[in-house]
Amino acid sequence: MRQNPVFSSAAIVVLLLSSGCTPEEHSHSPAGPYLGQSPPGTTPEIFAPGIVSTGMNEVEAAFSPDGTELYLAIMSDIGTDFVAAIAMARLEDGGWTDLEIAPFSDVGLNMDPFVHPDGSKLYFTSTRPLDGEPVTTEDDEAPKSNFWVVEREADSWSAPRPIGPPINGFGNVSAATVTRTGTMYFTRRLEDGWEGIFRSRLVDGQYQEPERLPDNVNTTNTQFHSSIAPDESYLILSIYGRDDSYGSTDYYVSFRDSNDVWSDVINLGDEINTEETEAAPCLSPDGRFFFFGSQAKIERTAAPGMTFNDLRNELHQPGNGSWDIHWVDVSVIQTLRPSS
């Protein structure tokens, strides 16, 4: 499939957002923290069904530190093009606004939103060209992904800029998350196809040469989409190809001690992992919840007396095999911490 890295994905995803909801679904404004949803327990739940998880492909969710902004990565195949854009909603006057395309998600494929723990910056992955790069790629060449950042400007964001080397420019990068001290954890794909988790420390305002995490974290040829706890005490990541997987790609956790020693990765279990692909973990800024993307399916059948419209609406609900956002109490992760 050809992926053109420069096109107005915003216009296409606006159509996706508007077509995925009926007028009745737009007629209410959710209120309160986390879009007014009742907090989950230790059993994962679909997050904000019909509002955030709609039966499209909602892959990633990220909140601002004060919990008043939601950033949502959405993707879809449209004909021969692959669409990936970042939508946003705000808590204003006690109610949440409808999702709309973020102003910085207007060029290329845009994913992996992450708001810095102090709220001053937002990082995202984009295939938009860097200065001096060609606008398009050849048919047999995948678009290059780099990290871009926008700075907080009152109630809006600045124009995006690339974060530059030594992180950008050396293999495709994706899924940046940042600790309170500024250390960035991210995925890098090397030229030989190996993909794994790296980190870069921030020293005097400059990111240092990235270091690859140890082999007991990077255990296969494919691990990606990590999320670091704000205090750097543990890392959640997606890994493909392990013998203890429940199928395809699973979520794992590695715990870090005060001496910067990482535990062996631990599978998060079959309450979270399925036979389908699990990717795009995110920890809530208050440390209470684990958000994650999943293609887990809900079994549905046509009930007696169901009309065609009933069936169509049922099949376009979350749980239809498209990506949905799930959430669960973070205690399910903490209970896995090795006693030693």
Side-chain angles (χ1 to χ4, degrees), residues 24-338:
E24 290 75 19
E25 288 172 323
H26 277 301
S27 64
H28 69 283
S29 176
Y34 297 108
L35 285 86
Q37 305 300 296
S38 298
T42 56
T43 299
E45 300 177 9
I46 293 177
F47 178 65
I51 303 172
V52 171
S53 298
T54 65
M56 295 196 303
N57 276 304
E58 297 90 8
V59 184
E60 301 163 284
F63 284 89
S64 61
D66 62 5
T68 62
E69 295 173 344
L70 165 68
Y71 294 89
L72 184 67
I74 303 172
M75 66 181 187
S76 182
D77 287 306
I78 302 293
T80 59
D81 283 320
F82 180 77
V83 177
I86 298 170
M88 61 180 294
R90 286 193 174 96
L91 180 62
E92 296 179 351
D93 300 323
W96 285 85
T97 62
D98 287 339
L99 284 161
E100 58 184 14
I101 301 302
F104 52 82
S105 185
D106 57 348
V107 177
L109 308 177
N110 300 281
M111 295 287 285
D112 310 327
F114 179 82
V115 184
H116 191 284
D118 67 9
S120 65
K121 304 177 183 67
L122 184 148
Y123 301 92
F124 65 102
T125 306
S126 181
T127 62
R128 66 189 67 202
L130 300 174
D131 289 344
E133 287 188 344
V135 172
T136 60
T137 61
E138 299 297 328
D139 288 356
D140 59 351
E141 187 177 319
K144 297 177 181 178
S145 61
N146 289 287
F147 290 137
W148 294 69
V149 62
V150 290
E151 309 273 349
R152 178 77 69 179
E153 292 183 348
D155 294 331
S156 187
W157 296 103
S158 68
R161 61 174 175 82
I163 66 170
I167 297 177
N168 281 353
F170 300 92
N172 281 4
V173 294
S174 59
T177 60
V178 180
T179 69
R180 294 192 185 105
T181 60
T183 299
M184 179 180 289
Y185 285 74
F186 62 96
T187 303
R188 172 172 283 173
R189 177 185 285 271
L190 304 182
E191 290 185 358
D192 62 5
W194 184 90
E195 189 172 28
I197 310 303
F198 289 73
R199 71 179 173 188
S200 176
R201 299 189 185 278
L202 188 68
V203 178
D204 296 330
Q206 297 294 320
Y207 279 111
Q208 305 302 296
E209 187 65 31
E211 57 183 291
R212 175 172 161 173
L213 293 197
D215 289 345
N216 65 331
V217 177
N218 286 310
T219 62
T220 74
N221 287 329
T222 307
Q223 39 272 306
F224 57 99
H225 260 130
S226 64
S227 182
I228 187 68
D231 63 359
E232 210 170 356
S233 62
Y234 64 91
L235 179 83
I236 302 172
L237 66 162
S238 300
I239 307 180
Y240 175 80
R242 283 181 58 93
D243 292 340
D244 58 352
S245 170
Y246 290 93
S248 188
T249 302
D250 278 7
Y251 290 116
Y252 292 78
V253 62
S254 176
F255 294 93
R256 174 180 174 272
D257 69 16
S258 58
N259 296 314
D260 196 32
V261 175
W262 295 88
S263 74
D264 291 346
V265 294
I266 303 168
N267 191 295
L268 294 192
D270 60 1
E271 287 285 337
I272 291 174
N273 292 314
T274 69
E275 295 180 355
E276 308 299 332
T277 299
E278 272 73 44
C282 174
L283 296 162
S284 65
D286 58 15
R288 296 175 57 198
F289 306 113
F290 169 41
F291 288 84
F292 60 96
S294 178
Q295 292 178 295
K297 298 177 183 178
I298 297 174
E299 184 176 343
R300 293 185 169 100
T301 58
M306 179 177 282
T307 67
F308 174 78
N309 284 339
D310 293 336
L311 180 60
R312 181 179 60 184
N313 291 336
E314 183 73 12
L315 295 178
H316 283 81
Q317 296 297 312
N320 63 1
S322 298
W323 287 94
D324 294 310
I325 305 299
H326 294 67
W327 64 330
V328 68
D329 192 281
V330 79
S331 62
V332 301
I333 295 170
Q334 296 292 0
T335 56
L336 298 174
R337 185 182 295 273

